[in-house]
Amino acid sequence: MIILIEKDETIEYLTAAGQWTKNPRDGVRFAATAVALQAAKREPVGKFNIVCYIPETNQFINMDHGRGRGMPAVSVG
């Protein structure tokens, strides 16, 4: 069982490098739902889900959800 942060809009998972991946096995693993929730709230992402991933059966269980700091502003110049 793996606890991950999932970007709601794209169904991608946060990696240890701060990037997003479609492969849940490459996502950063959190020790507890509360720890993942705190980390997700600091990320520059809109809506997110905290999910439990079971690799043996390729199943996901939604544990919690929320909003991050939002997407960073894009400068046009």
Side-chain angles (χ1 to χ4, degrees):
M1 182 168 81
I2 302 168
I3 298 172
L4 303 167
I5 298 172
E6 176 187 78
K7 187 191 280 188
D8 185 70
E9 294 88 7
T10 60
I11 315 300
E12 294 178 302
Y13 307 94
L14 183 66
T15 68
Q19 302 297 315
W20 296 95
T21 180
K22 288 285 189 184
N23 187 346
R25 295 172 195 263
D26 294 336
V28 64
R29 299 172 181 206
F30 292 89
T33 303
V35 176
L37 188 60
Q38 289 175 348
K41 287 181 179 180
R42 292 189 303 264
E43 287 297 316
V45 64
K47 293 181 182 178
F48 64 81
N49 300 305
I50 304 301
V51 297
C52 172
Y53 174 61
I54 304 168
E56 297 81 14
T57 59
N58 202 34
Q59 286 181 289
F60 292 89
I61 301 167
N62 285 328
M63 306 296 285
D64 210 335
H65 64 277
R67 285 185 132 348
R69 294 186 297 121
M71 299 305 292
V74 176
S75 175
V76 177

